[in-house]
Amino acid sequence: MSGLIFHLIPHTHWDREWYLPRAAFQARLVPALDDVLERLTADPGYRSFLLDGQTVLVADYLRARPDREPELKTLVKTGRLQVGPWYVLADELIPSGEALVRNLLLGAADAEQLGGRLDVLYSPDAFGHPAAWPTLAREFGIRFGVVWRGLGGEPGQERDLYRWRGPEGRDVLLWHLPPRGYELGAALPADADGLGAVWTGVRTALVERAAGKHVAVLIGADHHAAHPAVSRLRELLAELEPRSAFRVSRLDEFLQLAGEGAKPAPLDGELRWSYRYAWTLQGVHATRAPLKRRATAAELSLERLAEPLAALARRAGGRDRRPLLELAWRTLARCQFHDAIAGCTIDDVARAVDGRLTNVEALARDVVRGAVLDLVHHDPDAARERAGDAAPALVLWNPAARPRGGVVVVDVTLFRRDVLVGPPSGGVSRQGQGYRPFGLAGPDARPIALQLLDRRPGQERLDAARHYPDQDEVEWVRVALRLPAVPGLGVRCAALTPGAIRPDRAGEGAVVKGRSLANHWIEIVLEPTGALAVHDRRTGERFFDVLRLEDGGDAGDTYTYCPPVRDRIVRAAGPIRVRRLAAGPLVAALEATFALRAGKGVTQLRQLRQLNSVTQSRPGRVEVRLVVMLHADSPVVRCILDLDNQATWHRLRARVPTDLTGVPAVAGAAFGSVARPPVVVRAAEYPLETPVPTAPAQRFVAVADGRRGLALLAPGFFEYEWTRRGDLVLTLLRCVGELSRGDLPTRPGHAGWPTATPLAQCLGMSRVELAIAPVSQAELERGDLIPSLWEDAFLPVRGFWLRDAGDLVVPPIDIALEGTGLVVSAVKPAQQGSPLVLRCYNATGRRAPGAWRFGEGVKSAHRVRADERESTALVLEGRGKTVRFVAEPHEIVTILVT
């Protein structure tokens, strides 16, 4: 091919933390960007530099070099320095869809302040991409994209340009990086003697895949300083190949021209399969699983607790907590760098991520607390000043956009005595009664049925802005309540009353009989192995050996699972010890404890000194505590697995046999779901990297055929496998001790710099929350039913106990989403101004009429993109109490209301 136009695009790819901690890479970033700014300023021929698609690098740089901010902004405004559109280059399969939206919102805000955004969704190194990736781009006004891993090597994937269509039908023009990725042109020298040989290899790799005459040459690599002589390099290449043109271009310039005369190949679906082209590295999805579970919990607390409550409280006249929410989201996003959240980093980075998650949790808790107090007009300072008038109350809030009642579990505290803090002053400690039988009454003074679950002594601190904390000894009491319906996103209050109000045991409820739990919908039996037998009473379907634990070796590294030679799978076989925790009728619960032989053993001495050391002469061990719970009004089986891992180099999983074959497993994903068949391949056909049979899931994975089916639910991200014999297998722990190994038959060669990672052995305690629910094929295909079951399991009506409450004012909030197949995704404050953002998506392939209904009418409603721009007014009905819309198949619908 002659007459080509080569676009030289100088760049760097900068992992903020990886085989070194963040501070070390920041120390290297500062001189690297000093050099970039100086070269751009001194050489007009050095037309632009691509700063890796993430604005956080600018923040890191300016933190050390605030004096260069004006110069940097000038370069951004003139298109010389390209920043954004992301805030961070996150993994794109582990964070939720809403977390990816917040990432892009933060990147857009940063880029706007700096002078302009790169309008290309640039993802040069993420370990795969969700099917909604083109949708995300278009929701932010972006029409071009760049990816590497997850695509290539299969028939029809020979060229470099694609039209990647999102599930809802919109597409982006996608440039696919060559097999060597973004670093192919990094070694091009600016000297005539050495350039020819290097250019021949680079040119061949690019031109043989070029779909048109425009060919991009990325010049840069991981943590590389800028190429020292791009203008000279362009001149030498032009001399070397006079029939072609050579330009120093911006990435967006290249992509605007790339489609001219080219025929991009069609593309749709997720990108997770490049095993013949480039390492896909799907083994990261279970690495450092406890850290991922903690990140998921923090993500959920921001998305579905802190943001909605902050938005509702502000509408009720409370404080604007958007600055705190932004701080929390920025902190969480900095935990979601693809290496950091994937777990393929050194242990120092994992510790840093853990610390940042502590900060996110603290911010989310404070936002939630403050918003709840604003909603019910409770002033802790005023309460402190009238302590004798306190009337404890339970504030109940429904995080779902639909009415919900039924069984709810809450904690209350009963005062025992003051804990005096500070030097003795002769003050007298107040005394209380502690626990005594009590009841709760709703706003209509009707008693609420209550079941005592647990009580224990403890401490509680009451905080107020103008007073020192009040520390008290209390009795912590956990109770189950049978609530009347709470409106969507609504608030109700219950008051403490003397004397217990017990539920009626004559009605249908949850019961315990020996080793079984049952309610109207379902019966669960604890088997001798610690697994569950499940009987769906609605259909008569039965499932056995559910959640049976099994363990095998793992000789891999943080990137890649690799079974040891002659690996043996050990399955839990008992004996188990069973204890009843709750007898019903509102909540019935059993506890089973047992042990499982696993991996390689660790002595206490070696555990303290060198966690990678193992005792070859004996196997390791995992101590297991399983809690199984049934609520009286729900078909969902709630489970808690407490794991004490005292083994190394192994993988612990829970198997769920379904006896269903020939159907795909449907897994939750960003703004929808993805159907995946079992992965069955011959490893010999993939010498570069063996495809993994495991896959990522967000919140659920389900299989169903006719009336028989099961859904496995989790609070957020997890890894699963769907087998040919019809088993769902959930990864609980994947324990390895090396960042990278070069001797793996499943992935020959080092994926990173070899470093011991003893923390990745995941020794010690961790908790896994799960839920199981029988589902039919029709229920699965409906789209919104499994998300509703997930909400009931992990976003129940929340109780906030105000021991120092007085007269509370309950706001008349009632916001409900209606429409079959529609799923709530976000309720949040708008980025600008006072509107409330309501977002849902259509989880089906059918057109879905929908409506938001409001107990109190709204003044206006506008449909916008996810970036909250391009507004279109919507018609209000019923004095502002109804806003109707139509969601096309798999479409995201974002509405601003005031």
Side-chain angles (χ1 to χ4, degrees):
M1 187 185 294
S2 60
L4 296 172
I5 302 172
F6 290 96
H7 298 260
L8 309 183
I9 303 175
H11 81 102
T12 189
H13 176 57
W14 206 275
D15 299 286
R16 195 169 181 256
E17 49 193 358
W18 179 20
Y19 59 88
L20 292 174
R22 184 193 65 81
F25 280 130
Q26 184 179 18
R28 301 178 185 191
L29 174 71
V30 172
L33 287 191
D34 280 344
D35 180 62
V36 167
L37 268 58
E38 290 158 10
R39 292 187 185 281
L40 291 174
T41 302
D43 182 3
Y46 211 127
R47 289 192 60 241
S48 73
F49 189 86
L50 172 62
L51 192 52
D52 205 29
Q54 50 180 339
T55 61
V56 71
L57 299 180
V58 178
D60 285 346
Y61 175 69
L62 293 178
R63 193 170 291 116
R65 296 299 307 267
D67 54 302
R68 304 205 74 162
E69 183 173 355
E71 179 184 0
L72 186 146
K73 284 185 172 180
T74 298
L75 291 169
V76 172
K77 288 176 183 176
T78 56
R80 305 285 305 286
L81 183 65
Q82 294 201 277
V83 299
W86 299 100
Y87 175 54
V88 304
L89 285 183
D91 186 275
E92 295 170 6
L93 296 171
I94 299 172
S96 69
E98 284 296 333
L100 296 177
V101 168
R102 300 304 178 282
N103 190 337
L104 286 166
L105 285 171
L106 293 171
D110 288 351
E112 186 173 354
Q113 287 188 344
L114 292 168
R117 179 189 72 178
L118 168 66
D119 282 333
V120 178
L121 200 57
Y122 183 67
S123 297
D125 201 23
F127 305 148
H129 312 275
W133 197 92
T135 305
L136 276 172
R138 297 300 296 272
E139 287 287 318
F140 279 78
I142 297 173
R143 295 175 177 271
F144 306 111
V146 175
V147 301
W148 177 28
R149 304 186 195 275
L151 173 65
E154 302 301 315
Q157 298 180 359
E158 295 84 9
R159 296 299 186 186
D160 63 349
L161 285 180
Y162 296 86
R163 280 283 173 194
W164 187 9
R165 186 178 63 181
E168 90 296 1
R170 291 177 294 174
D171 61 31
V172 295
L173 179 65
L174 183 75
W175 181 51
H176 184 212
L177 291 167
R180 285 180 53 191
Y182 46 80
E183 63 183 34
L184 180 64
L188 288 169
D191 69 88
D193 293 338
L195 179 60
V198 179
W199 172 243
T200 298
V202 171
R203 186 188 193 283
T204 300
L206 293 172
V207 172
E208 68 184 6
R209 300 180 62 250
K213 66 180 181 179
H214 292 276
V215 182
V217 187
L218 264 62
I219 301 174
D222 289 357
H223 307 114
H224 277 41
H227 192 286
V230 168
S231 298
R232 177 61 178 155
L233 174 63
R234 186 195 65 77
E235 293 169 358
L236 290 173
L237 288 171
E239 294 173 6
L240 195 65
E241 192 172 325
R243 296 181 63 187
S244 296
F246 292 84
R247 305 174 181 174
V248 179
S249 299
R250 299 194 307 267
L251 181 61
D252 55 330
E253 286 177 333
F254 157 68
L255 281 162
Q256 287 165 4
L257 296 169
E260 294 181 2
K263 294 183 178 179
L267 183 68
D268 57 27
E270 63 178 357
L271 303 184
R272 292 183 47 250
W273 194 278
S274 57
Y275 293 101
R276 292 188 174 101
Y277 186 84
W279 285 338
T280 316
L281 303 177
Q282 297 293 283
V284 300
H285 292 145
T287 303
R288 302 188 196 265
L291 191 64
K292 288 180 172 65
R293 286 191 281 268
R294 189 179 183 195
T296 280
E299 187 178 74
L300 181 60
S301 68
L302 284 179
E303 281 182 29
R304 298 300 300 270
L305 299 178
E307 279 190 330
L309 281 167
L312 296 171
R314 189 176 183 222
R315 286 176 65 82
R319 236 176 240 284
D320 182 359
R321 291 181 169 81
R322 286 179 298 179
L324 288 177
L325 287 171
E326 179 177 332
L327 177 59
W329 273 114
R330 285 187 184 274
T331 307
L332 180 60
R334 292 196 296 270
C335 299
Q336 294 177 335
F337 285 96
H338 63 282
D339 293 312
I341 194 62
C344 47
T345 64
I346 61 171
D347 285 348
D348 282 345
V349 171
R351 291 188 188 96
V353 170
D354 202 50
R356 290 197 288 269
L357 291 174
T358 297
N359 293 336
V360 176
E361 292 161 354
L363 286 165
R365 279 194 304 269
D366 218 65
V367 169
V368 166
R369 173 183 173 272
V372 169
L373 298 184
D374 282 357
L375 276 172
V376 297
H377 297 270
H378 175 60
D379 182 351
D381 284 297
R384 190 73 63 84
E385 291 156 9
R386 50 169 175 73
D389 299 330
L394 179 65
V395 178
L396 297 155
W397 176 63
N398 178 9
R402 54 189 169 95
R404 290 192 302 174
V407 177
V408 174
V409 176
V410 299
D411 291 333
V412 304
T413 58
L414 303 173
F415 177 73
R416 297 179 66 188
R417 72 175 186 90
D418 275 329
V419 175
L420 301 180
V421 177
S425 61
V428 178
S429 174
R430 292 180 301 137
Q431 303 290 324
Q433 294 180 321
Y435 176 77
R436 59 199 182 281
F438 67 91
L440 291 166
D444 56 2
R446 292 184 180 179
I448 297 173
L450 178 152
Q451 176 191 342
L452 177 66
L453 298 178
D454 189 22
R455 48 178 281 221
R456 55 183 171 81
Q459 299 219 349
E460 182 181 28
R461 189 186 68 246
L462 302 181
D463 294 308
R466 298 188 301 275
H467 292 79
Y468 281 117
D470 176 18
Q471 188 83 11
D472 298 320
E473 282 187 13
V474 297
E475 196 88 25
W476 284 92
V477 184
R478 178 161 291 177
V479 294
L481 312 176
R482 190 192 296 274
L483 290 180
V486 180
L489 299 169
V491 178
R492 291 290 183 265
C493 287
L496 192 69
T497 62
I501 300 145
R502 304 201 177 278
D504 181 8
R505 289 183 175 271
E508 292 181 339
V511 298
V512 178
K513 294 181 180 178
R515 292 189 172 190
S516 71
L517 307 170
N519 64 17
H520 175 71
W521 287 272
I522 197 166
E523 181 180 8
I524 305 296
V525 177
L526 269 172
E527 297 178 337
T529 60
L532 307 178
V534 179
H535 176 204
D536 182 357
R537 288 180 155 182
R538 298 172 301 174
T539 64
E541 297 289 339
R542 295 178 182 270
F543 303 85
F544 300 97
D545 223 18
V546 172
L547 289 182
R548 187 172 180 182
L549 268 56
E550 62 184 46
D551 193 84
D554 191 337
D557 57 22
T558 60
Y559 296 93
T560 302
Y561 165 73
C562 184
V565 177
R566 296 184 297 277
D567 189 28
R568 293 183 60 188
I569 302 300
V570 177
R571 308 190 72 196
I576 65 173
R577 290 184 296 175
V578 179
R579 182 167 67 103
R580 187 181 70 184
L581 299 181
L586 299 183
V587 173
L590 290 172
E591 174 195 76
T593 56
F594 56 96
L596 178 68
R597 190 178 66 181
K600 298 177 179 178
V602 192
T603 67
Q604 185 176 8
L605 180 63
R606 284 176 173 169
Q607 189 173 339
L608 291 172
R609 292 183 179 175
Q610 188 180 356
L611 296 181
N612 268 4
S613 296
V614 298
T615 302
Q616 301 284 355
S617 60
R618 65 175 179 84
R621 183 180 178 90
V622 178
E623 299 283 346
V624 181
R625 174 180 179 263
L626 168 65
V627 176
V628 186
M629 295 167 283
L630 273 187
H631 289 189
D633 58 349
S634 173
V636 175
V637 184
R638 294 160 168 85
C639 301
I640 296 172
L641 276 165
D642 287 325
L643 306 171
D644 184 3
N645 177 42
Q646 297 301 324
T648 58
W649 300 101
H650 70 113
R651 182 174 66 167
L652 179 67
R653 304 202 293 174
R655 187 173 293 268
V656 180
T658 69
D659 294 331
L660 293 171
T661 57
V663 296
V666 179
F671 301 108
S673 60
V674 56
R676 301 185 182 113
V679 174
V680 182
V681 297
R682 292 181 65 248
E685 296 177 0
Y686 296 86
L688 181 66
E689 183 186 17
T690 304
V692 299
T694 55
Q698 292 281 351
R699 300 183 179 175
F700 74 88
V701 62
V703 290
D705 190 7
R707 67 180 191 176
R708 182 177 178 84
L710 275 180
L712 181 62
L713 314 174
F717 179 84
F718 62 97
E719 179 189 83
Y720 76 94
E721 179 183 350
W722 174 231
T723 72
R724 279 189 298 177
R725 56 186 268 188
D727 294 350
L728 284 170
V729 194
L730 169 69
T731 308
L732 305 175
L733 294 173
R734 188 175 163 257
C735 308
V736 294
E738 294 288 342
L739 175 65
S740 175
R741 297 183 62 173
D743 58 351
L744 303 181
T746 51
R747 193 213 66 232
H750 277 294
W753 277 258
T755 308
T757 56
L759 280 186
Q761 298 283 13
C762 303
L763 294 172
M765 294 296 301
S766 62
R767 170 167 287 191
V768 184
E769 294 184 57
L770 301 169
I772 298 169
V775 294
S776 68
Q777 184 178 352
E779 290 169 333
L780 178 57
E781 292 172 352
R782 176 174 159 154
D784 60 343
L785 185 130
I786 290 181
S788 292
L789 292 175
W790 175 85
E791 282 185 330
D792 292 344
F794 300 111
L795 277 177
V797 173
R798 296 285 170 135
F800 302 93
W801 179 248
L802 301 182
R803 185 160 53 85
D804 57 349
D807 294 329
L808 303 180
V809 178
V810 179
I813 300 170
D814 184 356
I815 302 175
L817 173 66
E818 296 180 357
T820 301
L822 299 179
V823 178
V824 172
S825 186
V827 177
K828 63 181 285 289
Q831 296 298 106
Q832 304 290 332
S834 61
L836 174 69
V837 175
L838 302 172
R839 181 156 44 247
C840 66
Y841 62 87
N842 183 354
T844 75
R846 306 176 295 274
R847 204 164 184 256
W852 285 98
R853 299 197 183 274
F854 305 90
E856 285 196 326
V858 298
K859 296 177 182 178
S860 68
H862 291 79
R863 186 160 175 178
V864 294
R865 299 182 312 208
D867 64 359
E868 301 173 24
R869 302 189 180 192
E870 292 204 352
S871 168
T872 302
L874 297 175
V875 175
L876 302 179
E877 299 179 9
R879 298 184 177 180
K881 292 190 174 183
T882 301
V883 176
R884 297 189 187 277
F885 61 90
V886 174
E888 298 299 330
H890 304 292
E891 187 178 23
I892 298 171
V893 177
T894 305
I895 294 176
L896 298 184
V897 298
T898 58

